[in-house]
Amino acid sequence: MLAPCGRIPKVGLAFEFPLPFHNSIHTWLWQGLGLSLLEAEVHQGVVWWLALYVHEDKVTGSQEVQEIRDVNRVVRHEGFNLTEELLSITSFARQLVDQMTLAKAYLVMAKERGSLTLAWELSSQIRNCQRLLSQAAVGGKSISLEEARPVVNKLAQLIYKAQDAHYDIATTITTLRNHIQALEDRVTAANVQLAEFGQIAAEALPKYIHCLNIKLTVNWFSDSRLQKLEEEQRNSPRLLDNNLYHFCVFSDNVLATSVVVNSTVSNADHPQQLVFHVVTDGANYCAMRTWFHMNDFKGCTVEVRNIEEFSWLNASYSPIVKQLLESKMWASYFDRDSQNKEGRFRFLLNHLRFYIPQMLPSLEKVVFLDDDVVVQKDLTPLFSLDMHGNVNGAVETCLEAFHRYYKYLNFSNPLVSSKFDPQACGWSFGMNIFDLIAWKKANLTSKYHYWQEQNSNQMLWKTGTLPPGLLTFYGLTEPLDRRWHVLGLGYDPDIDNRLIESAAVIHFSGYMKPWLKLAISRYKPLWDRYVDYTNVGLQDCFSH
């Protein structure tokens, strides 16, 4: 008898699973993302004009005018150029800009000292100065003496008043330095928050995919034929046949997994010889099975399993499960609600790559594919590559310095520095060929456990699966030709078209996933071509 979706008999994992919450995430996500971007831009702008006073005791205006020329839009009219006006030592525009910028510095200090009347007066005259400059730019004419004199005189009086009160040069420099440091700290915090929002955006399923999951789950319970097909496939000898080509995908995204499978079989010379082992979570288990039973993928075999089926994946065996059950560890990984168990399962799905021999004990070789890749060429030649005794076949990423080991790991820790070369070449997960016989011989899952235990306090690396992968497969990774796997389509808009066309696998690594609104439009058609937009359920979800 088949177990109901999302509630398999209790085995292995000690926490249950809630229903998805993706349908409510987008409003606050986009608002937060936009506010973070705006805050960072504002802070960086303030830091720019404050910095003008840190390096000079007296503002001369030459550096400032150069900055204004660089950052402001040049407004040209016949016989008039605002940039030339600002550079001219005889123009009133130049004098206005010089005094306005100095006034801004004293405005900051006046607010800090509680001189609110002075601050208000400075702010009022700064606005008058900005109004004159704006009128000159729009009207295409120089500022006259009559226009500039009252503003210049008033600003000069206020600046003298501020200096005479207590804002000497030494105090000014010290105060502004402190302000710059504080603003830089706020910019850093805003950037960290922006990165966090980006990660949430990449992980969150759009409304249309969530809708599709619900429709597919309903179909599973209403169509008995699907359950019969599932029962027959469970006993298929193809799942254990080492003469076939085996792939594994771990994902909670039905549509993304479908694109991986569809693109792989569409470009295979013999798709009937391909077998996919898909592992998902309880919330998406029924939907995933329904999709792959209802759609034909050129005769290949697709097995769908629930992560909760693996009774051996428990806290006594796996350090990562133990750590995820500890709320402090979970909070340190994500800085989110420790009760977000859906996120825990998603995180654990990412770490399943280290347990492939345990999940597929009868297989000898398998190709691992992330759910954000698109396959463009036949991958079966990977299975006949000479691995030279290595376990992991991967594309190296050390053409740039920031992809070497020292960028991922804490080499100030002797546990790392004594065993690894900081200049060792990094490589990428996403498309990997694993020799499972060599893996078991080297006992690499135990080695992975060792490094996870050593990193319980996150002193060796912060987050992610690549750092423990670099440690676990150190000295056991076979470099593949770069054309097997091209990364960056989720963050780099300038990848060479020739590189993309020659790639066997393109990887949307980064936050701009192709199923999200923030996807890079140039690359999205590469993913869309493998989505069946004629599917009635998918069309219904898009229309709502």
Side-chain angles (χ1 to χ4, degrees):
M1 180 176 179
L2 290 177
C5 287
R7 289 292 178 265
I8 287 181
K10 187 175 181 180
V11 291
L13 298 176
F15 40 84
E16 292 188 350
F17 200 89
L19 291 175
F21 65 96
H22 298 304
N23 58 326
S24 62
I25 194 172
H26 286 81
T27 300
W28 65 264
L29 170 61
W30 290 110
Q31 290 176 346
L33 187 59
L35 288 174
S36 296
L37 284 167
L38 178 60
E39 184 181 20
E41 290 179 1
V42 170
H43 291 165
Q44 287 168 339
V46 175
V47 169
W48 168 77
W49 64 258
L50 283 177
L52 296 176
Y53 306 97
V54 175
H55 303 294
E56 297 184 19
D57 288 350
K58 186 176 181 181
V59 176
T60 64
S62 59
Q63 179 183 358
E64 177 194 347
V65 171
Q66 179 64 37
E67 294 285 347
I68 292 173
R69 183 181 64 178
D70 292 339
V71 301
N72 284 335
R73 181 179 62 182
V74 177
V75 181
R76 286 188 171 88
H77 295 269
E78 186 176 357
F80 176 79
N81 188 311
L82 180 59
T83 300
E84 293 178 359
E85 286 281 310
L86 296 175
L87 291 173
S88 172
I89 61 174
T90 61
S91 73
F92 295 109
R94 164 73 173 269
Q95 295 180 44
L96 284 169
V97 168
D98 286 351
Q99 285 199 306
M100 180 180 66
T101 310
L102 186 57
K104 286 181 178 179
Y106 284 116
L107 172 61
V108 171
M109 298 185 64
K111 288 181 177 179
E112 186 179 81
R113 299 294 182 88
S115 303
L116 299 183
T117 300
L118 177 59
W120 183 87
E121 292 176 336
L122 286 167
S123 178
S124 177
Q125 292 305 314
I126 288 170
R127 286 195 298 272
N128 289 337
C129 185
Q130 291 170 332
R131 188 179 301 112
L132 277 179
L133 291 169
S134 176
Q135 290 173 351
V138 174
K141 61 179 181 178
S142 300
I143 299 174
S144 66
L145 174 62
E146 290 74 18
E147 292 173 319
R149 177 182 289 166
V151 179
V152 171
N153 287 343
K154 186 60 178 177
L155 278 174
Q157 293 173 12
L158 291 172
I159 291 170
Y160 177 79
K161 181 180 178 180
Q163 290 174 332
D164 188 57
H166 40 248
Y167 305 143
D168 58 278
I169 293 300
T171 302
T172 301
I173 292 175
T174 301
T175 302
L176 292 177
R177 279 176 176 162
N178 293 337
H179 273 281
I180 289 171
Q181 183 60 51
L183 289 170
E184 287 178 346
D185 291 342
R186 292 175 68 184
V187 170
T188 299
N191 288 334
V192 171
Q193 187 180 44
L194 177 60
E196 174 71 6
F197 281 134
Q199 181 177 349
I200 297 173
E203 293 176 353
L205 292 181
K207 181 180 178 181
Y208 74 92
I209 294 182
H210 181 53
C211 166
L212 180 63
N213 287 349
I214 294 174
K215 287 182 176 291
L216 292 173
T217 301
V218 171
N219 288 342
W220 174 262
F221 289 107
S222 62
D223 192 340
S224 60
R225 295 174 302 171
L226 297 174
Q227 299 180 23
K228 291 180 181 179
L229 288 172
E230 174 72 13
E231 194 69 53
E232 294 173 0
Q233 189 189 77
R234 282 279 182 175
N235 301 316
S236 173
R238 292 172 57 84
L239 301 176
L240 310 176
D241 189 348
N242 280 296
N243 293 315
L244 301 177
Y245 303 103
H246 294 264
F247 300 81
C248 55
V249 185
F250 310 135
S251 175
D252 61 353
N253 187 327
V254 174
L255 203 58
T257 305
S258 176
V259 168
V260 175
V261 174
N262 191 24
S263 63
T264 304
V265 300
S266 296
N267 293 285
D269 293 337
H270 304 286
Q272 300 86 356
Q273 298 181 15
L274 273 54
V275 180
F276 288 85
H277 305 270
V278 176
V279 181
T280 189
D281 53 36
N284 297 280
Y285 185 41
C286 291
M288 196 79 76
R289 287 187 291 179
T290 301
W291 182 266
F292 285 106
H293 285 312
M294 289 180 64
N295 296 280
D296 176 53
F297 291 89
K298 299 185 182 295
C300 77
T301 298
V302 182
E303 174 196 32
V304 179
R305 302 181 70 179
N306 189 335
I307 190 174
E308 296 176 80
E309 295 179 25
F310 304 126
S311 58
W312 44 265
L313 192 59
N314 52 56
S316 62
Y317 172 67
S318 170
I320 196 66
V321 173
K322 181 179 179 181
Q323 291 165 5
L324 286 178
L325 290 173
E326 299 174 0
S327 59
K328 289 183 179 180
M329 172 60 71
W330 175 246
S332 67
Y333 267 116
F334 293 100
D335 193 27
R336 300 181 210 160
D337 182 1
S338 63
Q339 301 304 311
N340 179 1
K341 294 167 185 170
E342 181 174 357
R344 294 191 190 196
F345 275 114
R346 183 179 300 112
F347 182 78
L348 195 56
L349 282 171
N350 286 335
H351 281 260
L352 275 186
R353 64 196 69 191
F354 295 103
Y355 296 102
I356 294 176
Q358 285 75 17
M359 290 185 290
L360 305 170
S362 300
L363 299 185
E364 298 174 355
K365 283 188 177 182
V366 67
V367 168
F368 165 76
L369 296 172
D370 266 333
D371 67 354
D372 55 351
V373 307
V374 172
V375 178
Q376 301 186 128
K377 300 186 186 301
D378 187 11
L379 297 186
T380 56
L382 284 169
F383 290 84
S384 59
L385 284 177
D386 185 356
M387 299 276 285
H388 300 99
N390 289 313
V391 177
N392 169 33
V395 170
E396 292 183 331
T397 56
C398 59
L399 292 180
E400 301 85 8
F402 59 86
H403 284 139
R404 296 188 182 274
Y405 267 50
Y406 74 91
K407 285 294 184 179
Y408 298 99
L409 303 165
N410 178 18
F411 274 86
S412 65
N413 189 304
L415 193 61
V416 174
S417 59
S418 64
K419 298 177 182 293
F420 302 96
D421 177 7
Q423 294 296 329
C425 190
W427 44 267
S428 176
F429 276 127
M431 195 291 298
N432 306 78
I433 174 73
F434 291 120
D435 185 331
L436 301 184
I437 295 177
W439 181 316
K440 287 183 279 191
K441 184 177 180 180
N443 200 18
L444 292 189
T445 300
S446 294
K447 184 178 289 187
Y448 159 73
H449 284 170
Y450 168 79
W451 288 114
Q452 280 294 156
E453 290 168 349
Q454 296 302 312
N455 194 51
S456 60
N457 56 4
Q458 291 188 285
M459 295 302 293
L460 304 185
W461 71 88
K462 291 300 181 183
T463 60
T465 56
L466 183 56
L470 295 175
L471 298 175
T472 301
F473 297 104
Y474 184 71
L476 294 171
T477 297
E478 179 70 18
L480 303 180
D481 188 294
R482 289 189 69 203
R483 290 171 294 181
W484 279 111
H485 185 192
V486 171
L487 297 99
L489 279 75
Y491 66 87
D492 184 358
D494 298 316
I495 302 175
D496 193 316
N497 280 330
R498 293 169 297 180
L499 191 60
I500 294 176
E501 291 170 2
S502 66
V505 173
I506 52 175
H507 192 169
F508 288 82
S509 53
Y511 296 145
M512 300 179 184
K513 302 301 184 188
W515 52 85
L516 300 176
K517 289 183 178 179
L518 47 75
I520 299 175
S521 58
R522 176 188 164 202
Y523 306 135
K524 196 172 186 306
L526 300 172
W527 189 81
D528 283 339
R529 71 176 63 169
Y530 296 105
V531 178
D532 181 13
Y533 287 108
T534 65
N535 181 275
V536 176
L538 193 56
Q539 287 181 343
D540 289 343
C541 290
F542 273 118
S543 63
H544 292 81

